[in-house]
Amino acid sequence: MKALMPALAAATALVAPSLAFARPVTFEATLKNYGGNGAYVALYVTDAAGKYRGTLWMAGGKAKYYRHLSDWQRMSGGAATEIDGITGASIGSGKTLKITADIADAMIDAGYQVRVDTAVEDGMDNPSEIVVPLSTGSAGNPSPGKGYIKSFLASF
Amino acid sequence: MLRRIHSLPGLVLALLLTVIAVSGTILSIDPALDRATHPPIERGVSVAALAEAVASRHGSVDKIARRPTGALTVTYSDGDTKGVELVDPATGAGLGPYQPSEFTRFVTNLHRSLLVGDAGRAAGAIGAGAMLVLTASGLWLLARRLGGWRAFLQPIRGTAAQCWHGELGRFAALGLMLSSLTGLWMSAGTFGLIPESSLAEPAFTASGGPAAPVGSLAALRAVDVADLRELTLPAPEDRTDTYGLRTSAGEARIDAATGEILVFTPTPILERVQAVVVMLHTGRGAWVLGLLLGLSAACVPAFAITGAAIWWRRRTNPPRLANNVAARSADTVILVGSEGNATWGFATTLHAALTAAGHRVHIAAMSELAPVHTSAKRMLILTSTYGDGAAPASAKGFLDRFAALDAALPVAVLGFGDRTFPHFCGYAQEVSTALDRKGWPRLLPLKRVDRQSAQEFAQWGRDLGATLGLDLVLEHVAVHPKTSELELVEREDYGAAVGAPIAILRFRAPGAGAKGQTGRLPAFEPGDLVGIVPPDSPMPRFYSLASSSRDGVLEICVRLREGGFCSTFLHGLKPGGRIDAFIRENPGFRPAEGRAPLILIGAGAGIGPLAGFVRANSPGRPVHLYWGGRSPSSDFLYEHELAMHLAEKRLTTLNTAFSRTPNGGAYVQDRIAADAPRLQELIRHGAQVLVCGGRDMAQAVTHALDAVVRPLGLDLATLKSSGRYVEDVY
């Protein structure tokens, strides 16, 4: 879906100088049939120290609702530049968000984590609903979320 | 122009506005229902106590929030399950899972985005803007129609569609303005046109100490549950995390160990404004307002329907001219004062002839007179007269508009009327006098056309052509509305013995086949007019209707006039005989809505529509009938029917006066004068007076009644202008 994540590239010093040192990683988040309006979903990466390193995707276009993605908001600072060009529509009940990002080799299996925040109008806010290591070892292993995510899967 | 600003968006966006308004009305009920299910949160419990009670029931609590509906909810995690439940604000006890209504969610999405996302949101914003324009222009038009803002609450007269449109408009205008303004503000926010308040929070550091029990935290103990918007609890395993407490005043970060406020960010002004706007739009937190706004919005479908009806009528009434030149580029302006359509017909003929002769001609209703019309080289005014010298429908307000004009240009006036009336072409005469007073030069002296005479019209055309230096041939062929054929089924004859034959005639639509089966009558009410086209004469004569189409018969009361072409024809008609007829609405002569008393006054055949009003009256509304005839033994029209109405309380009192009785006799105006105290009492209670009959009687009644109302500090002119004195005079 996306050849390169500019925000992630900008946010990390670890990105490889050329695509030869990066590989495409596909993330799939399938939502439960919670039956409300479309969910706002933020996918972002933290390093081994738990520090925010960049956003992979923001599903949901209205900035005024971003404060409901409270961990993403707090860690990233919520600046528009963080999600410039990597924003899409909110994800409907039961639907799947699937994105592919080129991730630097140096970030894989190096203690980095992928986090997902979700929020639904008149429903729950689920900060860090998913926290999974960015590692080839966990590939193909779907993890359930505590809020609206039925399963989350990364494949390298 | 203003009218077009009103009707164009109204017609184009009618469906969109109806969807938005109807969904809005449905949503407006929610705040009242919510208030019934979630009573206002009582003071007396601290946020700390509530949080402690809730925390004791769950593994961990993420958030306690007051929803816009007024419900207090808790988001919790018990092991791997996360959920939202309703809680009792006083005790913190669980009240079951929180499940927002699917229906409300659907209607909300329909209301704000028509279920199609941002495109629908944009359409909603356009709808809100259009509603604002429609409401403002509608108020303006209504004020203009009623004769200024001071007269804004006067009764509205006109067709049923016009009355409803205006009455509902007055009722709903404020609510619709509020809804559309706040809706526009919210749309602007959605599309990022209102700057977001900065989310930056000053930096702070938590003490990092072991978390204290929530019930013991000072900053939470100090806040009442009634003031709580939202409390976010820290993640249990994270020592650097803090409590986030939002109240209407602002947002505080509270240390989980010490219970102290680390940092407080007051709510920005813009956010407070936003909250008020949302409250005014949704009615959440103001349920009575919400219901009122919902009622206002509920009128929108009615506006769409009545508005379309008014537009259609206006469009089909004065004929549309394909080659009507714009006012500012015309050399000749034709202004038309017409009650039905006849004068428009003549004006159209004139327009065509002048256009063919190479003139650039603009045609407009007299009521549309504007300064731009004086930029032409000449003006031709064609007008009929309504009633006893009043302006016809399309000339209402002409004299006021004329008085405001500065320029003068050459003008000719052509009046249309009926020579048998005492004020033949009375209104044309009045217009002519006004023109002279302002010194407008004359192309031709005032000319009067009797009973739509095509010859007289053609003669005037030749005279006009002579002054313009061209050969103007006006060949007018009158166009009548489509007539339907009716069959006389019954007649009652009165008055022959006293030299005033009057017949009550009842017609039906001829049957389509089987015996007893009849066709459909056109729709009409008592007081409307039926135009009857007698054979061998193109000129229809009008009679007031005594029945409603719901009665299944068309009933009129016809006095035989000496030499009267149509009345002779009708009096000669035998059951089974047929006529060609059409209906003309007469909305100016109808009982007002409501239960205020009615005073009906008439003489001779004028009883027709009055009897119809009585027949259509619901028992309980006081109706007093004053009627004058010649002799009780010869021309007491409707004698038995009126007695029955009296018995059934559809008629309250009946006062008759007969002029040819052995002991002197009296007229209906004598009864009025004699009954002054009771009439004064009725008029003081808001009674409406409806008069129908001949010109002489009407004048005598006016005289008598004026004397009756004077002591009340009223006069007939005042009653007339507010629709409480109406007449149908011939």
Side-chain angles (χ1 to χ4, degrees), chain B residues 28-41:
Chain B
S28 74
I29 303 163
D30 276 353
L33 293 178
D34 287 336
R35 193 186 140 87
T37 26
H38 316 295
I41 296 171

Side-chain angles (χ1 to χ4, degrees), chain B residues 309-371:
Chain B
I310 293 166
W311 172 81
W312 181 248
R313 195 185 151 84
R314 196 167 62 230
R315 212 185 128 74
T316 48
N317 217 354
R320 289 278 136 174
L321 296 179
N323 50 357
N324 196 14
V325 169
R328 71 178 65 76
S329 52
D331 58 35
T332 306
V333 168
I334 302 175
L335 294 181
V336 184
S338 180
E339 181 65 30
N341 261 335
T343 310
W344 277 109
F346 285 99
T348 311
T349 306
L350 175 62
H351 183 277
L354 285 171
T355 305
H359 283 283
R360 295 189 308 282
V361 191
H362 175 73
I363 192 166
M366 287 173 77
S367 57
E368 293 170 336
L369 176 70

Side-chain angles (χ1 to χ4, degrees), chain B residues 521-532:
Chain B
L521 285 169
F524 55 84
E525 296 289 328
D528 282 346
L529 303 174
V530 58
I532 296 175

Side-chain angles (χ1 to χ4, degrees), chain A residues 121-122, chain B residues 27-32 34-35 66-71 98 100 104-105 108 112 186 275-291 293:
Chain A
E121 182 186 12
D122 211 10
Chain B
L27 293 173
S28 74
I29 303 163
D30 276 353
D34 287 336
R35 193 186 140 87
R66 172 139 116 223
R67 303 275 167 174
T69 57
Y98 172 66
T104 298
R105 185 174 74 88
T108 306
R112 62 187 179 191
M186 288 165 75
V276 172
V277 168
V278 170
M279 180 183 80
L280 293 178
H281 191 85
T282 61
R284 284 183 188 147
W287 63 279
V288 178
L289 176 72
L291 289 178
L293 294 181

Side-chain angles (χ1 to χ4, degrees), chain A residues 27 44 46 111-116 129-135 138 141-144 152-154:
Chain A
F27 302 95
Y44 55 104
T46 53
Y112 283 76
Q113 287 180 319
V114 177
R115 288 175 179 250
V116 184
E129 168 168 1
I130 296 283
V131 184
V132 293
L134 192 54
S135 78
S138 66
N141 229 347
S143 14
F152 180 78
L153 185 67

